[in-house]
């Protein structure tokens, strides 16, 4: 209104950034028969952060003929080193804290001979469930994950010996669609080296919310969208993903709705 052009009103914002110097981590990977060459090594904070957040995958390297490695970690935090090699169970180092520019040596990652967890996922009618996510957890941390095949079968290979928990998420949770099935937790799952542990899983039907949508005069409203959303992250706590979980439904001509596929764990909606 004062006759000035738009460019004259632009605001210039200047930001200064300080670059941090990466820490250097050196160590070696050993197996049942000594040093392991060709193992893939990376720094990590937790399993799922490495799958879904690229910030965790800052440096990946392969061990040399003596099992040695060198990593650059662009962080000031508590980390551990993860390593895996075909034919051996994955392994982790002890956790340690790094400072910017620090050089840490003597980190050891041990790989062993693992076992296998396998089975089949069905619903309560005996139908096979394809596309369900199977998550192997230890001490509340996700360790390994696979999806069921078309016949509902799954297989987790090269699992280190130990006691685990098996979390199963139905396809609707994985693909953010609608599914009448709910989650399932199986514990304990004991894995022994060179042996098979079979765990067959039956997914129950989840809780259901039903009701009607009415206007102030008591007339039914058709086409209203109903959203059942967790007030807490729900499985986000289990999977370290902080997105809310929600399910949708649309009211019919009589204003009635039915929301299915809610998680069976204790939640507020």
């Amino acid at each position: 209104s004062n006759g000035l052009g738009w460019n004259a009103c632009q605001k210039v914002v200047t930001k200064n950034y300080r670059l941090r110097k990466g820490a250097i981590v050196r160590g070696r990977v050993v197996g049942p028969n000594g040093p392991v060459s060709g193992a893939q090594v990376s720094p990590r904070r937790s399993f799922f952060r490495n799958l879904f957040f690229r910030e965790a995958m800052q440096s990946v390297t392969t061990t040399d003929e003596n099992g040695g490695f060198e990593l650059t970690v662009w962080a000031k935090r508590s980390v551990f080193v993860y390593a895996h090699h075909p034919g051996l169970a994955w392994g982790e180092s002890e956790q340690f804290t790094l400072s910017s520019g620090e050089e840490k040596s003597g980190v050891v990652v041990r790989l062993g001979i693992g076992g296998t967890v396998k089975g089949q996922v069905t619903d309560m009618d005996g139908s096979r469930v394809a596309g369900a996510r199977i998550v192997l957890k230890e001490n509340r941390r996700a360790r390994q994950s696979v999806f069921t095949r078309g016949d509902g079968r799954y297989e987790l290979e090269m699992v280190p010996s130990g006691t685990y928990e098996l979390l199963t998420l139905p396809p609707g949770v994985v693909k953010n669609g609608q599914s009448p099935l709910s989650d399932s937790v199986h514990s304990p799952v004991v894995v022994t080296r060179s042996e098979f542990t079979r765990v067959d899983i039956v997914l129950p039907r989840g809780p259901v919310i039903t009701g009607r949508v009415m206007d102030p005069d008591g007339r039914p409203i058709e086409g209203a969208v109903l959203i059942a959303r967790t007030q807490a992250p729900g499985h986000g706590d289990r999977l370290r993903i902080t997105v809310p979980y929600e399910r949708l439904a649309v009211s019919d001509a009589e204003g009635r709705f039915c929301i299915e596929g809610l998680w069976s764990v204790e939640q507020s909606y």
Side-chain angles (χ1 to χ4, degrees):
S1 61
N2 57 7
L4 295 177
W6 181 84
N7 289 334
C9 300
Q10 283 185 309
K11 182 178 180 180
V12 178
V13 178
T14 302
K15 291 185 179 181
N16 296 320
Y17 297 92
R18 178 177 295 179
L19 299 179
R20 291 182 297 182
K21 186 177 181 180
I24 303 298
V25 178
R26 300 184 181 91
R28 62 194 181 99
V29 177
V30 297
N33 300 317
V36 179
S37 63
Q40 191 175 68
V41 184
S42 61
R44 298 195 172 190
R45 295 184 66 190
S46 70
F47 180 81
F48 274 95
R49 288 187 67 86
N50 276 272
L51 285 182
F52 302 128
F53 296 91
R54 65 179 182 179
E55 69 149 336
M57 296 297 291
Q58 301 167 79
S59 178
V60 179
T61 189
T62 302
T63 55
D64 58 26
E65 64 274 9
N66 297 315
F69 65 85
E70 179 176 305
L71 294 167
T72 301
V73 182
W74 302 96
K76 181 180 180 182
R77 59 184 58 162
S78 177
V79 298
F80 60 89
V81 176
Y82 171 90
H84 68 91
H85 186 278
L88 293 173
W90 44 262
E92 299 171 349
S93 71
E94 298 291 332
Q95 286 196 354
F96 51 89
T97 301
L98 293 172
S99 299
S100 179
E102 179 183 355
E103 294 190 12
K104 183 175 180 60
S105 302
V107 176
V108 178
V109 183
R110 300 186 183 278
L111 306 183
I113 299 174
T116 300
V117 180
K118 65 179 182 178
Q120 188 175 46
V121 179
T122 59
D123 60 20
M124 299 187 69
D125 297 326
S127 300
R128 300 163 181 172
V129 179
R133 168 171 272 164
I134 310 295
V135 183
L136 189 72
K137 299 180 61 184
E138 181 185 30
N139 297 326
R140 299 182 61 84
R141 193 196 316 177
R143 295 293 192 173
Q144 202 166 337
S145 174
V146 296
F147 290 93
T148 56
R149 302 188 291 268
D151 58 0
R153 298 186 183 277
Y154 71 92
E155 192 167 307
L156 294 158
E157 298 180 300
M158 301 302 169
V159 179
S161 299
T163 302
Y164 300 88
E165 176 183 79
L166 208 59
L167 169 65
T168 305
L169 301 178
V173 176
V174 176
K175 299 178 181 178
N176 198 28
Q178 296 284 39
S179 171
L181 300 176
S182 184
D183 64 305
S184 173
V185 178
H186 189 96
S187 178
V189 176
V190 179
V191 179
T192 306
R193 56 178 290 175
S194 302
E195 294 187 6
F196 292 94
T197 301
R198 185 174 182 87
V199 181
D200 291 324
I201 300 163
V202 178
L203 291 179
R205 293 185 65 86
V208 176
I209 298 177
T210 61
R212 296 186 71 189
V213 181
M214 315 288 285
D215 66 15
D217 297 324
R219 294 187 295 266
I221 297 178
E222 181 180 4
V225 178
L226 288 300
I227 303 176
R229 176 181 296 174
T230 55
Q231 296 180 2
H235 275 307
D237 293 336
R238 289 168 144 180
L239 299 183
R240 303 180 187 273
I241 304 172
T242 56
V243 296
Y245 165 76
E246 62 183 31
R247 277 290 185 265
L248 306 178
V250 179
S251 60
D252 61 17
E254 297 181 353
R256 301 185 185 279
F257 66 88
C258 178
I259 304 177
E260 298 182 300
L262 302 174
W263 282 331
S264 60
V265 293
E266 294 183 3
Q267 291 292 341
S268 297
Y269 289 93

